[in-house]
């Protein structure tokens, strides 16, 4: 590394975006783009981040803030921070047994880990690695028998919360994956290019394909014939997404799941009311991290109206674009009880494994602590829209037009 007087040494990551840069260097391009990318022109992906940046905190001083408690109560659990590691598919391709590493880091920080259906490590492997059982994420699937089997497995390891993802009736196009020939039938040249991309990342090869085996889908084995290879898996997944799904399917899951039920992928107050009617305990205001329909509102923009519509009746969570603890405080101020993070933990685990995820959570905790203190709060109990700088704007118009 060359020393440049005008730049920091850059040897100690300080933020989530530093971990993004480390992940970019460590991962094959096709994998980095899978994590980093969004749907279509990535307008919503960018808006998730930039709209959050435009929300301003209201600094107030000289309030006694000597004891501060960032913990919150979510779905019957006390979380050390209003942060949850959200479901991220294919985690075990980013680092060796990455779901286990991330789940351990989450446990150390006192926050939940949500196991994606399409994880490399199965739910039993993740549950064995820690004291507190992971939450489980399920898609609405065509194959009810298989969905039920997964619910029983989650129940058997003691998952307290099911996160049912409902914004995948069809799959949005991610152009980066097309360009990298990750989707579609690759030409011979594309296969060679993908091989060269992998060959250029020996540290990742050692960590994942060599030491991180087996690279199969832990929740799909035995239940899904032929799901052992990525291509067979993709075919199976595509077949499982069902554009005919309705709220009746949520009611079916409600009947078959005894724990808390949260639906993820609500972006409209009308849908939030329907979720309430379907008997869920909570919703996640989410646009799938800008990976599904592009040109929909950022989640920070959609959140206030949804929280106003149902926030006093069910628990409202939110995700999308959270990169700092200050973002967490802003989302809570706008009506979320807690937030889910996706890319933040994916980049951290890819870059530095469990230690990376622990560090990212520690950085968020420290950010939150300062943000609470300088907005005059000692806990999240008092964090509402009055913690945001509104410059005379009427409530709800926190974002500049
Ligand atoms: C690489 C990647 C894989 C994802 N896989 C899943 C998944 O398997 N199930 C799911 O419900 N959401 C999935 N998501 C969406 C996340 O749970 C979450 O909604 C999103 O990442 C939040 O935005 P953020 O990445 O800006 O934090 C995935 C997101 C990413 C980035």
């Amino acid at each position: 590394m060359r020393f440049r007087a005008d730049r920091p040494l850059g040897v100690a990551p300080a933020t989530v975006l530093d971990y993004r840069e480390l992940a970019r260097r460590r991962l094959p391009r096709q994998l980095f783009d899978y994590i980093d990318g969004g749907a279509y022109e990535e307008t919503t992906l960018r808006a998730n981040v930039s709209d959050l940046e435009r929300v301003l905190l209201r600094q107030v001083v000289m309030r006694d803030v000597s004891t501060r408690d960032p913990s919150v109560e979510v779905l019957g659990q006390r979380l050390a921070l209003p942060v949850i590691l959200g479901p991220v598919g294919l985690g075990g391709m980013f680092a060796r047994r990455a779901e286990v590493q991330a789940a351990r880091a989450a446990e150390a920080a006192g926050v939940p880990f949500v196991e994606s259906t399409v994880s490399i490590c199965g739910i039993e492997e993740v549950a064995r690695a820690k004291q507190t059982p992971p939450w489980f994420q399920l898609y609405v699937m065509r194959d009810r028998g298989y969905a039920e089997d997964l619910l029983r497995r989650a129940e058997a390891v003691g998952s307290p919360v099911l996160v049912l993802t409902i914004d995948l009736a069809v799959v949005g196009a991610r152009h980066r994956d097309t360009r990298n020939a990750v989707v579609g039938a690759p030409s011979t040249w594309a296969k060679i290019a993908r091989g060269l991309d992998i060959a250029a990342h020996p540290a990742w090869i050692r960590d994942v394909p060599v030491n991180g085996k087996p690279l199969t889908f832990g929740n799909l084995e035995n239940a899904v014939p032929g799901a052992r290879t990525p291509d067979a898996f993709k075919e199976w997944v595509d077949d499982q997404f069902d554009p005919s799904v309705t709220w009746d399917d949520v009611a079916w899951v409600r009947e078959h799941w005894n724990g808390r039920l949260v639906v993820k992928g609500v972006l409209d107050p009308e849908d939030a009311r329907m979720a309430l009617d379907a008997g869920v305990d909570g919703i996640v205001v989410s646009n799938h991290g800008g990976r599904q329909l592009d040109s929909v509102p950022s989640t920070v923009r959609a959140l206030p109206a949804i929280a106003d519509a149902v926030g006093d009746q069910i628990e409202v969570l939110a995700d999308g674009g959270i990169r700092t603890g200050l973002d967490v405080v802003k989302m809570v101020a706008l009506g979320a009880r807690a937030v889910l993070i996706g890319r933040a933990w994916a980049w951290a685990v890819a870059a530095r494994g469990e230690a990376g995820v622990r560090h990212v959570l520690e950085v968020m905790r420290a950010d939150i602590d300062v943000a609470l203190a300088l907005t005059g709060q000692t806990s999240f109990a008092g964090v509402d829209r009055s913690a945001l700088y509104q410059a005379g704007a009427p409530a709800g118009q926190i974002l500049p037009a």
Side-chain angles (χ1 to χ4, degrees):
M1 182 184 313
R2 251 177 351 138
F3 176 72
R4 294 259 317 249
D6 58 340
R7 289 206 192 141
L9 286 178
V11 289
T15 65
V16 164
L17 291 183
D18 291 347
Y19 278 99
R20 174 178 183 268
E21 174 55 23
L22 292 177
R24 192 184 64 74
R25 292 182 204 163
R26 186 170 170 97
L27 292 174
R29 175 68 191 253
Q30 54 203 291
L31 259 180
F32 176 76
D33 276 347
Y34 162 72
I35 300 171
D36 202 59
Y40 302 93
E41 302 311 315
E42 303 188 341
T43 314
T44 296
L45 169 63
R46 284 190 298 277
N48 278 349
V49 174
S50 59
D51 283 355
L52 255 171
E53 280 172 356
R54 290 158 69 199
V55 176
L56 302 180
L57 294 167
R58 175 172 162 233
Q59 177 170 307
V60 296
V61 295
M62 304 299 281
R63 319 288 204 263
D64 177 1
V65 289
S66 44
T67 48
R68 299 178 298 281
D69 173 9
S71 71
V72 291
E73 180 97 7
V74 176
L75 298 159
Q77 285 176 43
R78 174 103 342 228
L79 315 190
L81 301 172
V83 174
I84 296 160
L85 271 59
V88 168
L90 301 191
M93 297 300 290
F94 315 156
R96 173 187 356 173
R97 315 314 286 167
E99 293 91 355
V100 163
Q101 298 201 57
R104 285 200 176 124
E107 181 164 67
V111 301
F113 171 82
V114 187
E115 159 87 351
S116 162
T117 299
V118 291
S119 292
I120 299 296
C121 303
I123 185 137
E124 293 84 2
E125 182 181 346
V126 174
R128 269 196 308 273
K130 59 205 280 289
Q131 306 290 321
T132 47
W135 296 10
F136 187 65
Q137 175 263 324
L138 186 73
Y139 294 107
V140 184
M141 293 169 167
R142 242 186 246 276
D143 184 342
R144 288 289 167 80
Y146 174 58
E148 216 178 326
D149 179 57
L150 277 177
L151 290 178
R152 295 293 76 83
R153 285 173 66 183
E155 197 175 75
V157 301
S159 281
V161 178
L162 182 75
V163 177
L164 183 69
T165 300
I166 56 172
D167 57 3
L168 255 131
V170 294
V171 185
R174 298 178 198 147
H175 295 328
R176 292 201 216 184
D177 289 349
T178 307
R179 292 186 191 109
N180 292 332
V182 172
V183 293
S187 64
T188 306
W189 165 238
K191 281 186 195 156
I192 293 169
R194 284 181 61 183
L196 291 174
D197 175 33
I198 288 170
H201 295 85
W204 175 83
I205 294 176
R206 213 169 26 253
D207 190 36
V208 179
V210 176
N211 293 324
K213 290 192 289 249
L215 295 182
T216 51
F217 297 94
N219 296 318
L220 308 186
E221 274 168 52
N222 308 326
V224 185
R228 296 188 78 85
T229 66
D231 286 347
F233 162 74
K234 181 142 196 331
E235 215 170 279
W236 178 83
V237 168
D238 287 349
D239 188 50
Q240 284 303 312
F241 294 128
D242 181 357
S244 74
V245 288
T246 67
W247 290 103
D248 291 342
D249 298 273
V250 176
W252 180 88
V253 174
R254 175 72 289 179
E255 277 169 34
H256 290 78
W257 176 252
N258 294 323
R260 308 283 180 122
L261 175 64
V262 172
V263 288
K264 171 172 176 283
V266 173
L267 213 50
D268 191 275
E270 193 179 314
D271 282 351
R273 282 189 213 98
M274 290 172 111
L276 176 67
D277 293 342
V280 304
D281 301 294
I283 57 173
V284 184
V285 177
S286 176
N287 51 36
H288 218 98
R291 295 163 79 80
Q292 275 291 80
L293 182 57
D294 201 16
S295 284
V296 297
S298 64
T299 43
V300 68
R301 212 174 247 275
L303 172 62
I306 296 175
D308 286 347
V310 298
D312 54 350
Q313 295 165 83
I314 47 175
E315 298 201 14
V316 176
L317 310 174
D319 73 13
I322 311 285
R323 306 289 180 259
T324 71
L326 306 190
D327 295 337
V328 178
V329 175
K330 292 174 186 178
M331 284 293 216
V332 174
L334 288 169
R337 201 176 263 253
V339 302
L340 279 64
I341 55 172
R343 291 178 183 83
W345 80 254
W347 290 324
V349 83
R352 294 274 162 92
E354 180 178 341
V357 183
R358 276 184 191 238
H359 186 218
V360 154
L361 291 170
E362 175 50 32
V363 169
M364 283 194 176
R365 196 202 58 74
D367 292 350
I368 288 170
D369 188 54
V370 170
L372 282 180
L374 288 175
T375 53
Q377 305 292 334
T378 54
S379 77
F380 275 102
V383 175
D384 57 20
R385 284 175 209 173
S386 67
L388 301 176
Y389 180 76
Q390 295 182 51
Q397 286 185 16
I398 286 139
L399 291 166

